[in-house]
Amino acid sequence: MEEDARTPGYAWYGLAILVAVYILNFIDRQLISILAEDIKRDLGMRDEDLGFLYGTAFGVFYALFGIPLGRLADNWHRVRLLASGLALWSAMTMVSGLARGGAMLAAARVGVGVGEASAAPSAYSLISDWFPKRLRATALAIYSAGLYIGGGVSLGIGALIVQRWNAAYPVDPPFGLHGWQAAFLIVGAPGLLLALVVLSLREPPRAGPRPAAPFAEFFGELLTILPPLTLIGAARRGPRALIGNLVAVALLVGFVYAATRLGEPAAQWSAWGLGVYAVFSWASALRARDPEAFRLIVANPAFIAVLVAYGLNAFLGYSTSLWLPPYAERVLGEAKTTAGLIIGASGALGGFLGTTIGGAVADRLRRRHPAGRVMVVIFGALAPLPFIVTAFTTRTPAIFYAMVLPMTALGSCALGAAAATTQDLVLPRMRGTATATFLIGTTLRGLALGPYLAGRLSSASGSLSVGVLSLLVTVPIALGAAITAFRLVPIHERRLAEPHPMTTVN
């Protein structure tokens, strides 16, 4: 039985490689945080523009491509998919260093998002096949720790590169590159080498048959989620589906028009609305094509409750991750290297401790209660709050820096628990798709909205503290969703184990 299976040593080796990939993933993703003040100055941007670059431009396309790439991870060679995605996002990080304006930098961030969308579906699926259920949250938590290690390392590396580049070339730098541009170029290069290492991993066997033409399914999935191809996909499903998609497009256009009339930037809300429409289109297609997957993922209230709860956790987490370094530089007057090294080291250690300990505690609690992992999600929604408030109100650098480690550790503790809970609610053949759906919850709610809204409120109020702390109004919603998940998860896990007329043997 799976619960009694012995975990081979190769699984731990493979996990170590995946952690290295995830570290680079978040180095490339998070680097913009420590470079924010330099980019803002050199490209004439505002805080909401930085929030758009960090969150929305990256996050919407990360979520959008996560679904078809999650499908490809379910049906194709996951190791090759992961290596290809790693090479793409590393190359696009380097392209970010060549940007001369906001539009090119945004386009490069879109490319980084598309490449990184391949990582989590492939990695989550590999880990779920390598490790038995009793260790799955622990393994996913160890993998997820790469998020915080990479995010922390990026701040220190980015600050040092900028400092040394600007010191070495105070005038007439090579090719006219600023220090922040050099940082993008330098940190992107190692990913191209690691992609070759990833290719050496062995693909684990999977239960159940897989489609003979996985790329045909991948391109078919694009027709369900990539506008304007979504209209072709809807037309193929019939007039009713096409009319539904056209109505959704009309609502999207009306929403963006209303937002711009209120003074909101069109780029932010066009991108976010596009993401919401794409997810609607995909869910409609999934319901027609794979009703069992739709039932267990999109129409599963336990799954959705976990998504909402952890998505709002990410809403705060991504916002604080972006704005901690600018707060230290702008409000506290700290040097970039000091802020980068201390915040980076504290964040890396706190994130590693939070995710690994949180995952282990979640597994232990699950053995005592079917919804034990959700207890960690509830804890993660509340425990970081005093440290967030203190960090973004203090004017004392020592107090500010002291808040970073506990804030990050407590804010990260629920990641493995939430991810493992969603995996437990679906069949093995759906794990990649379930992972992509889980990431939508943390991306369209968290990454694509939190950093931007904090920046927008910062510009409107003239206070970065007000911008970040205003987001705490979402905490009661997150708590309510987590409590709902605690009640529903055991019920739906039991239903998953029961025979169902649409269930296939895996």
Side-chain angles (χ1 to χ4, degrees):
M1 294 182 60
E2 185 186 30
E3 290 295 324
D4 298 324
R6 183 176 180 181
T7 307
Y10 191 82
W12 295 104
Y13 166 75
L15 179 61
I17 299 299
L18 295 183
V19 170
V21 171
Y22 209 28
I23 288 172
L24 284 186
N25 181 308
F26 264 79
I27 288 176
D28 293 352
R29 184 188 305 194
Q30 186 70 22
L31 183 64
I32 197 171
S33 176
I34 194 63
L35 307 179
E37 294 296 283
D38 301 81
I39 295 171
K40 180 180 179 181
R41 180 190 64 245
D42 291 339
L43 300 185
M45 292 185 167
R46 298 167 297 179
D47 282 350
E48 57 263 42
D49 300 323
L50 294 171
F52 172 77
L53 287 173
Y54 175 85
T56 314
F58 169 91
V60 166
F61 292 90
Y62 177 77
L64 193 152
F65 277 87
I67 291 174
L69 289 172
R71 187 76 167 184
L72 191 58
D74 283 338
N75 298 329
W76 189 55
H77 199 287
R78 291 162 289 185
V79 167
R80 294 174 188 170
L81 177 61
L82 180 58
S84 301
L86 172 56
L88 173 60
W89 88 63
S90 299
M92 295 307 295
T93 298
M94 298 179 72
V95 171
S96 301
L98 303 176
R100 303 289 181 176
M104 183 176 177
L105 186 53
R109 292 289 291 174
V110 168
V112 173
V114 172
E116 290 195 8
S118 67
S122 301
Y124 277 41
S125 182
L126 287 167
I127 290 169
S128 293
D129 279 344
W130 277 332
F131 290 87
K133 182 181 285 190
R134 64 185 173 83
L135 291 174
R136 199 166 288 155
T138 300
L140 287 170
I142 292 171
Y143 168 75
S144 300
L147 180 164
Y148 297 96
I149 297 171
V153 168
S154 73
L155 302 186
I157 289 178
L160 287 173
I161 292 173
V162 171
Q163 180 194 50
R164 295 186 179 185
W165 183 271
N166 291 340
Y169 307 106
V171 294
D172 297 326
F175 308 106
L177 296 175
H178 297 286
W180 63 267
Q181 294 174 301
F184 278 121
L185 289 166
I186 292 170
V187 302
L192 300 176
L193 299 176
L194 184 59
L196 299 176
V197 178
V198 172
L199 278 176
S200 70
L201 290 174
R202 297 197 303 264
E203 178 79 10
R206 289 193 273 201
R210 284 184 286 164
F215 281 94
E217 289 215 359
F218 168 71
F219 288 114
E221 199 78 57
L222 288 180
L223 293 179
T224 71
I225 198 167
L226 185 63
L229 299 180
T230 48
L231 297 177
I232 299 174
R236 289 183 174 182
R237 299 196 305 275
R240 183 175 179 179
L242 178 59
I243 291 172
N245 263 254
L246 290 173
V247 169
V249 170
L251 291 173
L252 167 63
V253 172
F255 170 78
V256 174
Y257 175 77
T260 54
R261 292 285 292 178
L262 293 172
E264 288 292 308
Q268 162 66 26
W269 295 109
S270 295
W272 188 78
L274 185 71
V276 172
Y277 159 72
V279 172
F280 162 79
S281 177
W282 167 79
S284 300
L286 181 69
R287 184 174 189 176
R289 182 188 65 242
D290 191 346
E292 184 179 29
F294 181 89
R295 175 179 66 86
L296 293 178
I297 299 174
V298 180
N300 185 339
F303 196 106
I304 298 302
V306 175
L307 286 189
V308 173
Y310 189 74
L312 292 176
N313 181 303
F315 182 82
L316 289 176
Y318 282 124
S319 299
T320 55
S321 293
L322 171 61
W323 295 114
L324 277 170
Y327 185 88
E329 290 185 67
R330 188 186 310 175
V331 179
L332 303 181
E334 291 291 278
K336 183 183 298 293
T337 50
T338 302
L341 290 171
I342 297 178
I343 296 173
S346 299
L349 178 59
F352 176 78
L353 293 175
T355 51
T356 53
I357 294 174
V361 170
D363 281 337
R364 183 177 293 273
L365 289 173
R366 188 187 186 280
R367 290 194 286 270
R368 298 181 179 179
H369 190 281
R373 287 175 179 153
V374 183
M375 297 178 187
V376 179
V377 178
I378 295 172
F379 178 79
L382 297 174
L385 300 184
F387 302 96
I388 294 174
V389 173
T390 302
F392 283 96
T393 54
T394 186
R395 294 297 187 269
T396 305
I399 296 176
F400 171 81
Y401 290 131
M403 295 298 104
V404 177
L405 191 150
M407 177 176 64
T408 309
L410 295 171
S412 65
C413 67
L415 178 52
T421 300
T422 58
Q423 294 285 299
D424 290 343
L425 290 169
V426 301
L427 298 173
R429 72 175 181 85
M430 305 170 187
R431 285 173 179 158
T433 303
T435 300
T437 309
F438 174 72
L439 293 174
I440 287 173
T442 61
T443 301
L444 288 183
R445 290 187 186 91
L447 185 55
L449 284 180
Y452 167 78
L453 289 175
R456 187 77 171 97
L457 293 168
S458 171
S459 292
S461 65
S463 168
L464 190 50
S465 296
V466 171
V468 173
L469 297 181
S470 295
L471 305 186
L472 297 181
V473 298
T474 63
V475 171
I477 302 172
L479 184 59
I483 293 172
T484 300
F486 182 81
R487 182 174 61 86
L488 294 179
V489 162
I491 298 171
H492 286 269
E493 275 206 62
R494 285 197 301 271
R495 290 178 182 173
L496 183 66
E498 295 170 356
H500 190 276
M502 290 188 297
T503 300
T504 58
V505 177
N506 285 273

